């Protein structure tokens, strides 16, 4: 990858192989195109959210087992739209760094994009189960009556809620936060977006509903987002507090501490990549094409949650170890 493209990335460390070698070079030239048209990064983000949410219409269709070639087409179209949404979501950040059009609202919108895609998709998958459940009922030897369908759909809806709240939402918060902590120790405050909930709350309090309704609405959501990230990572918060108390500004942190944090954080990246878009889309695609999308929720709740638990445990452990050396 050439230096021009690298300059528009947060860091090569925080890109998986597919993004770094395939997606990012393409989105760089797309960002160049948008820059010539003077399109704002936030416009690209909003387009990404609309297209990703629109894929839910096609996710509601069964695949080959239930709807034949039309079902296959709908499922492929769903993933095409989701892929386009991800392309645009990658482009907005490169465009912002390329043009200097960074904004707090852009950061908030970028973090919300994934939720804007997956909430309607999960609702569509529940509706899809209500319409097409023959495979699952056959495996479990359940009679296909109206009452059984309603009960089973209610169970799937609960699974979708657990998967969305305890799975998707929590896992994406963790992945985003650990990427930002990595960038913070690699590049300092200017090279990361490691936001503090207290600072974000102060920003929220200074805004008025009359003059900043949209921004204040999203800022309230972002305050809750940062609070939840900090609650998950108490050992990291303790380490950061110790470093700031002892050394003040980020640039004064000892090089040995920065190196030790960076080494441990980079080793975790391969697991963090399993919590974000490419891996998530891979198993969603597999289960949808096999006509058992309900397995997405089980996989998210069990397998991906275990990966997230492992990542948090490892990250907290090395933060605690570094903090003990400071004390």
């Amino acid at each position: 990858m050439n230096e021009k493209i690298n300059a528009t990335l947060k860091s090569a460390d925080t890109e998986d192989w597919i993004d770094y070698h395939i997606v990012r070079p393409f989105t760089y030239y797309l960002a160049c195109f948008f820059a010539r048209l003077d399109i704002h990064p936030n416009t690209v983000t909003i387009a990404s959210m609309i297209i990703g949410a629109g894929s839910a219409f096609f996710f509601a269709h069964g695949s080959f087992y239930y709807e034949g070639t039309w079902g296959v087409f709908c499922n492929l179209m769903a993933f095409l739209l989701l892929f386009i949404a991800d392309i645009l979501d990658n482009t907005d950040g490169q465009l912002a760094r390329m043009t200097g059009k960074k904004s707090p609202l852009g950061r908030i919108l970028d973090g919300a994009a994934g939720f804007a895609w997956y909430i309607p998709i999960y609702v569509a998958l529940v509706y899809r189960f209500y319409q097409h459940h023959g495979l699952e009922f056959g495996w479990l030897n359940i009679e296909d009556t109206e009452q059984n369908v309603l009960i089973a759909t209610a169970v799937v809806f609960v699974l979708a809620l657990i998967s969305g709240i305890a799975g998707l939402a929590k896992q994406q918060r963790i992945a985003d936060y650990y990427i930002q902590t990595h960038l913070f120790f690699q590049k300092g405050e200017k090279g990361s977006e490691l936001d503090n909930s207290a600072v974000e709350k102060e920003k929220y309090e200074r805004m008025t509903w009359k003059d900043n309704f949209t921004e204040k609405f999203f800022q309230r959501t972002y305050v809750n987002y940062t609070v939840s990230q900090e609650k998950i990572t108490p050992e990291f918060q303790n380490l950061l507090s110790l470093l700031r108390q002892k050394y003040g500004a980020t640039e004064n942190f000892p090089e040995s501490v920065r190196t030790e944090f960076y080494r441990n954080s980079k080793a975790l990246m391969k697991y963090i990549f399993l919590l974000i878009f490419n891996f998530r889309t891979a198993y969603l695609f597999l289960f949808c094409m096999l006509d058992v999308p309900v397995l997405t929720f089980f996989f998210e709740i069990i397998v991906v949650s275990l990966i997230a638990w492992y990542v948090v445990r490892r990250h907290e452990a090395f933060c605690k170890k570094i903090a003990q050396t400071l004390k």
Side-chain angles (χ1 to χ4, degrees), residues 7 11 14 85 111 116 217 228 259 299 304 324:
S11 168
T14 57
F217 172 79
S228 64
T259 302
F299 192 83
V304 187
Q324 286 172 344

Side-chain angles (χ1 to χ4, degrees), residues 26-88:
F26 176 77
T27 55
Y28 169 77
Y29 293 108
L30 189 58
C32 291
F33 174 71
F34 288 150
R36 291 193 193 97
L37 296 178
D38 197 29
I39 295 175
H40 197 280
N42 291 354
T43 304
V44 179
T45 307
I46 292 169
S48 163
M49 294 165 80
I50 293 170
I51 293 170
S55 69
F57 173 81
F58 295 98
F59 274 111
H61 287 269
S63 189
F64 186 77
Y65 181 81
Y66 294 108
E67 298 188 27
T69 53
W70 168 249
V72 172
F73 169 79
C74 286
N75 279 259
L76 291 175
M77 181 59 71
F79 284 99
L80 175 62
L81 291 176
L82 193 55
F83 177 71
I84 292 171
D86 181 59
I87 288 291
L88 293 175

Side-chain angles (χ1 to χ4, degrees), residues 238-253:
N238 179 54
L239 172 62
L240 194 58
S241 177
L242 283 172
L243 285 167
R244 283 176 168 157
Q245 286 173 19
K246 198 166 185 179
Y247 302 104
T250 311
E251 56 268 21
N252 296 332
F253 291 179

Side-chain angles (χ1 to χ4, degrees), residues 213-251:
F213 182 86
T214 302
E215 200 165 341
K216 190 174 176 74
F217 172 79
F218 282 108
Q219 185 66 22
R220 175 70 263 178
T221 305
Y222 192 60
V223 169
N224 295 334
Y225 184 77
T226 53
V227 167
S228 64
Q229 288 176 321
E230 291 167 1
K231 283 183 178 178
I232 296 169
T233 57
E235 295 296 345
F236 173 75
Q237 304 308 320
N238 179 54
L239 172 62
L240 194 58
S241 177
L242 283 172
L243 285 167
R244 283 176 168 157
Q245 286 173 19
K246 198 166 185 179
Y247 302 104
T250 311
E251 56 268 21

